[in-house]
């Protein structure tokens, strides 16, 4: 059963009205898709954050807009990092019986064995494309890197998901790898070889006077 969240319609689109919406702890948004006319709305920021934490970034929500209910997924969200507040969000109405294409975040779990030998774990890909029914889409996918040694790599093709889902991302894309430890450069001795192979000292000698 999806989680419900309350929203209200917006009919006034003046900048002053949007500022008032935010000043009251809300944020403007829009709901659209699946033969649904685009509808401007606004939601309470605290309620939204609590709901998304509970349902997950790709969770299906029941959006209650006055007397109308929509099954939606969060399609996009804009935030102001300086003010640490939500600026705007897009909710897409979904047909629970039809597959959708979406992006799902990747989380690396475990400690790569190569890092114990001085290697550096590097994540190259943070999201992959998935196809499946809305209710089957996970909020994120864990990628176990425990067996990664130095110079080892995990690609998209190595990721396993539920049989109900299809990964549509390029299978050859690198997700994570362990880079070899950086070699320290040897200090310059100041010695070079001349054309005959004899060593010449190029460092300045102390004055013996």
């Amino acid at each position: 059963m999806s989680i419900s969240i309350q929203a209200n319609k917006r009919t006034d689109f003046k900048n002053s009205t949007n500022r008032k919406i935010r000043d009251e702890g809300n944020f403007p948004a829009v709901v659209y898709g699946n033969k649904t006319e685009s509808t401007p709305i606004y939601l309470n920021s605290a309620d939204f954050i609590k709901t998304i934490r509970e349902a997950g970034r790709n969770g299906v929500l029941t959006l209650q807009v006055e007397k109308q209910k929509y099954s939606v997924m969060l399609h996009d969200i804009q935030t102001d990092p300086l003010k640490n507040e939500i600026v705007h969000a897009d909710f897409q109405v979904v047909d629970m019986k039809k597959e959708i294409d979406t992006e799902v975040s990747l989380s690396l779990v475990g400690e790569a064995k190569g890092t114990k030998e001085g290697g550096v774990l590097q994540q190259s890909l943070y999201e992959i494309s998935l196809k499946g029914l809305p209710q089957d889409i996970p909020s994120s996918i864990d990628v176990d890197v425990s067996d990664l040694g130095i110079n080892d790599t995990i690609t998209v093709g190595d990721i396993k998901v539920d049989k109900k889902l299809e990964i549509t991302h390029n299978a050859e894309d690198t997700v994570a790898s362990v880079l070899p430890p950086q070699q320290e450069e040897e200090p310059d001795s100041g010695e070079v070889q001349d054309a005959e192979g004899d060593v010449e000292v190029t460092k300045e000698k102390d004055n013996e006077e």
Side-chain angles (χ1 to χ4, degrees), residues 44-65:
N44 180 268
S45 298
D47 289 345
F48 170 76
I49 292 172
K50 179 181 178 182
T51 300
I52 290 299
R53 284 176 177 171
E54 185 176 350
R57 175 64 174 78
N58 295 313
V60 178
L61 308 175
T62 298
L63 187 65
Q64 179 84 42
V65 184

Side-chain angles (χ1 to χ4, degrees), residues 107-123 143-154 175-181:
S107 299
L108 303 187
V109 296
E111 182 180 2
K113 63 182 182 182
T115 61
K116 301 174 183 178
E117 302 169 2
V120 178
L121 178 64
Q122 175 176 281
Q123 184 169 358
V143 180
D144 190 355
V145 298
S146 302
D147 292 333
L148 275 187
I150 293 176
N151 292 320
D152 285 345
T153 297
I154 291 178
V175 175
S177 56
V178 176
L179 306 180

Side-chain angles (χ1 to χ4, degrees), residues 82-201:
L82 297 179
K83 296 182 180 180
N84 192 29
E85 65 180 24
I86 301 168
V87 176
H88 190 273
D90 293 353
F91 293 93
Q92 184 175 7
V93 179
V94 295
D95 185 338
M96 302 300 288
K97 297 180 181 179
K98 290 185 178 180
E99 292 182 329
I100 61 171
D101 292 289
T102 189
E103 300 291 320
V104 177
S105 61
L106 300 175
S107 299
L108 303 187
V109 296
E111 182 180 2
K113 63 182 182 182
T115 61
K116 301 174 183 178
E117 302 169 2
V120 178
L121 178 64
Q122 175 176 281
Q123 184 169 358
S124 305
L125 192 64
Y126 292 85
E127 290 184 334
I128 61 170
S129 304
L130 278 185
K131 183 177 183 179
L133 293 175
Q135 64 269 26
D136 295 328
I137 302 295
S139 58
S140 65
I141 296 175
D142 290 339
V143 180
D144 190 355
V145 298
S146 302
D147 292 333
L148 275 187
I150 293 176
N151 292 320
D152 285 345
T153 297
I154 291 178
T155 65
V156 171
D158 297 320
I159 297 176
K160 306 300 180 184
V161 295
D162 191 287
K163 294 180 179 179
K164 299 177 182 178
L165 302 171
E166 177 187 356
I167 296 178
T168 56
H169 211 103
N170 186 344
E172 297 180 358
D173 283 358
T174 298
V175 175
S177 56
V178 176
L179 306 180
Q182 293 183 348
Q183 300 293 331
E184 294 185 3
E185 295 184 2
E186 295 183 2
D188 186 1
S189 65
E191 296 179 351
V192 296
Q193 289 186 337
D194 61 17
E196 299 179 356
D198 295 328
V199 174
E200 296 180 354
V201 178

Side-chain angles (χ1 to χ4, degrees), residues 16-27 83 85:
S16 57
T17 303
N18 285 335
R19 283 197 297 270
K20 182 180 179 182
I21 286 174
R22 295 189 178 97
D23 289 343
E24 293 175 347
N26 305 306
F27 66 92
K83 296 182 180 180
E85 65 180 24

